[in-house]
Structure formats: structure tokens, C-alpha cells
Amino acid sequence: MDVLELLSELVSFNTVNDPNKGIKPSKECPRFIKDQLDSWDIESEIIERSGYYAVYGEIGDGTPRLLFMAHFDVVPVNLEEWETDPFELTIKENKAYGRGSADDKGNVAAVMLALKELSKEEKLNGRVIFAFTGDEEIGGAMAMHIAEKLSKEGKVPKYMINADGIGMKPIIRRRKGFGVEIKVYPRKVKVKGRVREIEFEPKTPVVETRHAAYFLPGVDTHPMVALSHFLRNSNAVAISLDGAFIKGNVIPGKVKLKYVEPGEGEEVEGDLSLTALLKAIVPIVRAPIKAEKYSDYGVSITPNVYSFDGSHVLKVDVRAMSYSKDDIEKTLREVLNFNLPEAELIIKENEKAGYLFTSPDDELVRVTLRILKELGEDVEPIEGPGASDSRYFTPLGVKAIDIGPRGGNIHGPNEYVEVDSLRKMPEIYRRIALSLLL
């Protein structure tokens, strides 16, 4: 079985994670992974916590030296936007389309095949640990559990290859993610005028993605920010807001505002609180949040989910090289005091998660760059826009990188992985491991 055949099998499992709809991956995909590893005489176990699964195992003896990690869960799909079946791998020229092909089932397949070859080695100087998790897209509690497990058992490895990157470049920096909720209660008002509707869609002219961490202000257009700018430059009063809202770190594919344009016409009920909340988005995304360490991307603030259940709730994704929840809360509270003083503000974080900040001079990075060059990939280490499960291991002193094949449209429609790039990944992972363990 080659990497494309294995990826095709993995993509066929619908492993969508969508807590808002009570949807989580079943045990079918991790059972397939375990069964495939068993067929190669690689022992593993399925771990379950809170209805989520992971496949965990070890190869070799002695001191744990290296951890491989990848995830098999995926973000939800909007079928209307896909040109192919997202759960059937479709190959067109050098692109293999399917949900999870790039993020992150292509990496799962590549690591599995690397483990198959590593299991045949008789002179590994240390133990290789591996884990395939099913909840990375909703925070990675399973990875956190595995980090705690390894710490308690004295098995924390020196190195980690988190196979959750893209572009064939070692990712040595990633910011920490924070979840922000801003809540206001309705304030209805009668307004005389005409009812109108306006729609906004995201525009990503350079890098086609819906992943919030990849959104680049000044290049990309966020539909919620555009909507806010529209309201701030009109006297319109919002009536309701609908949209293709998916999850906190996914830019909505469309938002539609129903509003009343004051003037002649019938009396219509609008909502002053919703209007104020949406107007506040522009200053919110420009909040001067401070970071502790350098980042190419600075601080990202994207408002990606709106919901109404008796109150208006806006969920905002924040990415920063920071551990300080208090600083973020203080800064956003100041913004709200000027624009939306009645709003409730909640900041959510995982205190056990850190950020990735590995030196480009570290042995793991140097080895990876050398092997990539040997296989025709002359690259430099980079910073990744989004967070990943490596954030649970770096606070334990683990030297980590994230890496993966070239691909595109991560978290968006028509996600793909480049075939020639994916074919190289099993050998890349095998060679890195051997260089660190022989």
C-alpha cells in the first residue's frame, strides 16, 4: 500500500469535528489505523477520553528520543462550495482533493509508512513514540493528555516531529491561540425605513484558505470586518445576521446582514445591540495586544462565529506569542469600554498549552533541512500561522518542529495535497528519525 492508497482510505472516513452540532469522529478511523499498524507487526492501542480517540504506540527500546504526532480529525465542510466529494480522494494531475488531504490525513499516512520502515530497524538508539489523535481541530485535549502521560511515566522525548505542517518547510514558530466571546443582549427599537439585505464573502487573492490563522489583513478581506465597516459608514440599524459560520478558527464563507435603512417607509423593528456589536468589530480586530516574543504574523484577531440564543454572541479567534490571558483581556476590555461598554467578555485558553519557538540552530532543525535538501527540497525554516498540538510538549522542554507536504485550501473548499510532495514525506520522516536515533 503506497501513501496515496492509504490516504484514500483515510479520507473515506468522515472524521469531522463539530462540537456546536454534537458531531465527533467515530472509532472507525482509529480502528483502521490500528489494524493497519497491526498488519505490519507494530503494536499500538486506542485511547479514549470524553468520546474522542487516539492511536498510541512505541517502537524500539531504551530512552524515548522522538515523538511523531499527526491528527485524523477534520473541520466541517460546506458541500455547496466543493467541486468534488470531500470524503472521496480525487486526483487531478498533481493534486489530490479531499477533506483532510493536507490537514492532516496526508501526514497520518506518511508517518504510518515511515513507522513501517522504522520498525524493521534493529539498531535504533532510543525509543520512537507515535500518536494519531482525533481532536486537534477542537483544541487537542488528547495531545495534552498524552503529554501529561509521558511526563508522569518519565517518557518525555527529546524531540518531536509534529506532522501537522504544510509546504515541505520545517515550522519552528507558532503562536498560542485564545478564544474570545463577546456577548450583548437585544435592545429592540422601532425604525421607520426600508428593509434591505447585503452579503459579504471572504477574499483571499494570494493564499486560498479559510483558516483564520492564515488570514492576512491588508491582503485578505474578512466578511465580518467588511460588514462592520459598512455599518460604521452608514446609519443603518441591524435586524438580523445570518452566515456560513463553521467554527472559531474558520473564516465564514458568507455573511448576510438584514437591516433597515432609516427614511421613508414602514416602521420596522431593529436591534441596537446587534448594530453596536457589529460596528465594534473594526476596533476589536485592531486591538493593540502585546506579544512576549517575535512573530512574523504579529497578533491575529479574527471574528469568525456569530450566534443568537437569547443574546448576541460573537466568537473571536486571537493568535499571539503570549501566555498572558490577563493582558489580552485588559486590552480588549479597553476597546469595548469605548465601543460596547455593556458587553460581557470571556477569554478562554488552555493553561497547559504554550507556543512553539525552536531555534533554527537546533539539531532537529539542522537535520531536517539537510534531509530535505538531499531529497531536492532546498528550504528555510519558517513560522506557521496557526497553532498545533506541539504546543503541549514545548512547555516540557521538548524540541519540536511541525512539517508536512505542500497543499492548499486548508479548512476551505476543495482542500488538496500535492501528490509529488506527499510521496516524499514517508522517506523524509524515516530519514529524520534515523539521523536522530542511529
Side-chain angles (χ1 to χ4, degrees), residues 122 151 326:
E122 298 181 355
S151 181
D326 292 341

Side-chain angles (χ1 to χ4, degrees), residues 157 251 310 342 420:
I251 297 169
E342 72 274 20
D420 59 353

Side-chain angles (χ1 to χ4, degrees), residues 301-345:
I301 308 172
T302 52
N304 299 319
V305 176
Y306 162 80
S307 62
F308 180 79
D309 186 12
S311 61
H312 302 288
V313 179
L314 180 68
K315 293 185 178 181
V316 182
D317 182 86
V318 175
R319 309 283 171 134
M321 287 286 190
S322 174
Y323 284 99
S324 182
K325 169 186 169 183
D326 292 341
D327 283 352
I328 292 173
E329 184 171 6
K330 180 180 178 181
T331 301
L332 289 176
R333 184 73 261 176
E334 183 178 14
V335 172
L336 292 176
N337 285 343
F338 277 95
N339 296 275
L340 203 63
E342 72 274 20
E344 297 178 14
L345 175 64

